[in-house]
Amino acid sequence: MAKKGKLIGIGVGPGDTELLTLKAAKVLESVPVIFSPKSAKEKKSIALSIVTPILEKRKDYKRLMVVEPLFPMIEDQQELEKYWNSAAELIANYLDSGRDVAFITLGDPSIFSTYSYTQKKLANRYEIETIPGITSFTACAAAKNEPLVEKNDILTIVPKIDGRLDNFLEHSDSIVLMKASRNTKELESAIDKKNRPKEVFSVQNCTQENEKIVEGFSTEKPYLTTTIIKFTDD
């Protein structure tokens, strides 16, 4: 029986190609299949644009297999399962043929990544390696030249607001609002009204040419926007 390929999840970082890890770059220089999901057919993959300068240096670049399946941004769990299952089986076909597959994802593969859904579906069938990447929020803190947390501070990462809002506003020292483009005025008002001294800043398109640091909440809110709230109580 032919040896099966390996699935390699690669975090490509927040946007700057130079922030790829050496290990990630090494894999991308030789892996036969690149798996790069995108949210809509008409949209370009941001993750793929980050690694393209590495791929273009390959002698076999024009023959490189790049697969861009659809991972839509929808809430319907049953529909999402269909896309995840389809992606997992597509990857399995390449792995069964003996080819390694690199699944590229923005930031780090373990932080709200589409990679995790297919990783779990293939975990008991194939060899899997996960290569970490620089997260958006650590890159944002670096862009602002400020630490996220110090000493015994508690950092809370929030992808979406729900009934736990009051708890994390009360007990966190620093809060990262991921996907801040979805922030509502109600959320921003609740944070502004919280009676704790704080600093709020947002970073748009972090590490990219159009990076912008905004004091407070972003009003433009492009997709790649992260907001950080640092409570400054003693």
Side-chain angles (χ1 to χ4, degrees):
M1 181 180 292
K3 182 180 178 181
K4 294 182 178 180
K6 178 168 69 172
L7 172 61
I8 309 166
I10 299 179
V12 301
D16 184 350
T17 303
E18 291 187 349
L19 292 178
L20 278 168
T21 66
L22 293 174
K23 188 168 188 177
K26 183 177 180 180
V27 171
L28 291 168
E29 287 168 357
S30 61
V31 70
V33 182
I34 306 289
F35 201 80
S36 178
K38 54 185 181 180
S39 59
K41 290 181 180 180
E42 66 278 6
K43 288 188 176 181
K44 293 184 178 180
S45 166
I46 299 173
L48 185 58
S49 70
I50 293 171
V51 303
T52 294
I54 302 293
L55 303 180
E56 287 179 337
K57 294 179 181 179
R58 293 177 51 161
K59 293 181 179 180
D60 64 346
Y61 175 61
K62 292 184 178 180
R63 301 189 305 275
L64 178 64
M65 179 67 69
V66 178
V67 185
E68 298 184 79
L70 192 62
F71 274 43
M73 298 177 68
I74 57 178
E75 298 292 336
D76 188 314
Q77 190 65 30
Q78 288 186 330
E79 282 299 308
L80 285 172
E81 284 288 341
K82 293 178 183 178
Y83 285 101
W84 297 337
N85 286 330
S86 176
E89 289 311 306
L90 183 57
I91 291 173
N93 289 335
Y94 288 110
L95 298 177
D96 286 339
S97 71
R99 286 174 284 184
D100 293 343
V101 176
F103 188 124
I104 59 174
T105 181
L106 285 172
D108 181 271
S110 65
I111 305 290
F112 306 122
S113 168
T114 52
Y115 161 72
S116 63
Y117 304 115
T118 48
Q119 176 193 24
K120 287 185 287 188
K121 293 181 182 299
L122 298 171
N124 297 320
R125 298 162 55 188
Y126 303 96
E127 180 183 359
I128 296 178
E129 178 182 3
T130 302
I131 299 174
I134 294 174
T135 66
S136 61
F137 51 90
T138 54
C140 289
K144 190 71 165 54
N145 285 315
E146 289 195 16
L148 274 175
V149 282
E150 298 176 87
K151 297 182 180 178
N152 297 320
D153 287 350
I154 295 173
L155 173 66
T156 303
I157 304 168
V158 182
K160 188 176 180 180
I161 301 306
D162 56 26
R164 294 170 288 182
L165 174 62
D166 287 339
N167 281 334
F168 70 69
L169 286 180
E170 185 65 34
H171 300 293
S172 302
D173 297 297
S174 294
I175 296 172
V176 172
L177 294 180
M178 301 286 286
K179 303 175 183 177
S181 57
R182 302 191 303 189
N183 287 354
T184 63
K185 289 295 182 183
E186 290 78 11
L187 164 64
E188 296 174 9
S189 177
I191 292 173
D192 285 337
K193 290 178 180 178
K194 187 64 181 176
N195 191 26
R196 293 179 64 187
K198 55 190 166 294
E199 174 192 4
V200 180
F201 65 92
S202 302
V203 184
Q204 301 171 184
N205 304 311
C206 189
T207 77
Q208 300 182 43
E209 289 184 359
N210 57 343
E211 175 186 281
K212 184 177 180 181
I213 301 174
V214 179
E215 296 299 329
F217 293 97
S218 169
T219 55
E220 300 168 298
K221 297 181 181 177
Y223 176 67
L224 294 180
T225 300
T226 300
T227 296
I228 294 175
I229 300 102
K230 295 182 64 178
F231 292 106
T232 54
D233 330 59
D234 291 333

